[in-house]
Amino acid sequence: MAESDVREILDARRQIGVWRNRFAALLDRTPVPTAVCLSDGTLTDVNPALAGLLGSTPGRLRERNITDLLRPKVQRDYDRVIEDLRARRHASRELPVRWPGGSGELTVHAVADDVWVGLLLTLRPNPVRGGEAPALTDREAEVLRLIAGGATSARVAAELGLTADGVNYHLTRLTDRLGVPNRVALIARAYTLGLLDPAAWPPR
């Protein structure tokens, strides 16, 4: 193999790495619960919003099967959706799903080329029954907005003139009031309840 061919291959690999990193950054910042999986349902990428809804983290969900996490209300509906997407009869389909503590509509988009079919998944949770959004204080809303935007506790403290303990106090109150175990789940729950606007970035 010629040296120029080797350089070209290495350059192409670097470019793939750059685009992969850009995609990962966009996925992480997307407030809509989103994932990418293979056509057999194996997850390759999961954003914090989806992981939070499922009470987990993105790293723990990678390589899990989406059907183990989001159960279609009728299994044959999922099989039919996959069959339609593989045969390219539809570019996207919607599927009612449920998971412990919630239910919603999963939109499955086919992303295909001549030899490969991947799936882009977006989840729209149903409103929580009997779950009304609690009224937040101005300070709680500010903490929530900054955390949802990716700020660390230290940055939140500096921006709002709080101590680290003060930020942790507000986060503990928020997670308790929204009934979630951690800050990732807190952000997902806040979007579900309409406390954060999914169409806005940075969050508000």
Side-chain angles (χ1 to χ4, degrees):
M1 185 179 290
E3 186 178 334
S4 61
D5 292 337
V6 172
R7 275 199 305 269
E8 193 172 314
I9 290 169
L10 292 175
D11 187 52
R13 286 181 179 167
R14 277 193 292 272
Q15 288 297 318
I16 289 169
V18 167
W19 282 105
R20 171 79 184 169
N21 290 339
R22 287 176 181 169
F23 171 76
L26 285 171
L27 187 67
D28 283 351
R29 289 178 175 267
T30 300
V32 176
T34 305
V36 177
C37 71
L38 305 179
S39 61
D40 67 0
T42 302
L43 290 164
T44 59
D45 296 278
V46 181
N47 77 347
L50 179 57
L53 271 182
L54 300 176
S56 188
T57 61
R60 289 181 179 167
L61 296 182
R62 286 188 196 104
E63 299 189 12
R64 297 278 305 274
N65 195 287
I66 189 62
T67 57
D68 294 336
L69 304 166
L70 300 175
R71 300 267 184 187
K73 291 188 176 175
V74 180
Q75 180 61 40
R76 70 175 178 273
D77 289 347
Y78 177 80
D79 297 335
R80 191 176 298 123
V81 164
I82 297 304
E83 183 183 329
D84 284 350
L85 293 173
R86 280 180 175 158
R88 304 191 186 184
R89 288 192 285 267
H90 297 276
S92 67
R93 293 287 299 274
E94 289 195 351
L95 185 68
V97 293
R98 60 183 183 276
W99 62 94
S103 64
E105 291 284 327
L106 182 69
T107 302
V108 185
H109 307 267
V111 182
D113 58 27
D114 291 337
V115 296
W116 181 82
V117 177
L119 304 174
L120 175 66
L121 312 173
T122 52
L123 180 63
R124 186 176 69 251
N126 292 329
V128 180
R129 288 179 188 163
E132 298 215 357
L136 302 184
T137 66
D138 289 345
R139 184 49 54 93
E140 286 173 338
E142 289 172 334
V143 169
L144 178 62
R145 176 180 56 80
L146 290 169
I147 291 294
T152 62
S153 294
R155 183 174 151 205
V156 173
E159 189 154 334
L160 299 182
L162 297 170
T163 63
D165 286 343
V167 173
N168 289 333
Y169 166 77
H170 287 298
L171 283 173
T172 299
R173 267 184 56 85
L174 284 165
T175 55
D176 286 347
R177 292 179 69 194
L178 272 64
V180 292
N182 54 48
R183 70 173 65 190
V184 174
L186 171 67
I187 295 165
R189 178 78 164 157
Y191 278 113
T192 301
L193 293 175
L195 294 170
L196 293 169
D197 181 359
W201 188 265
R204 65 170 188 265

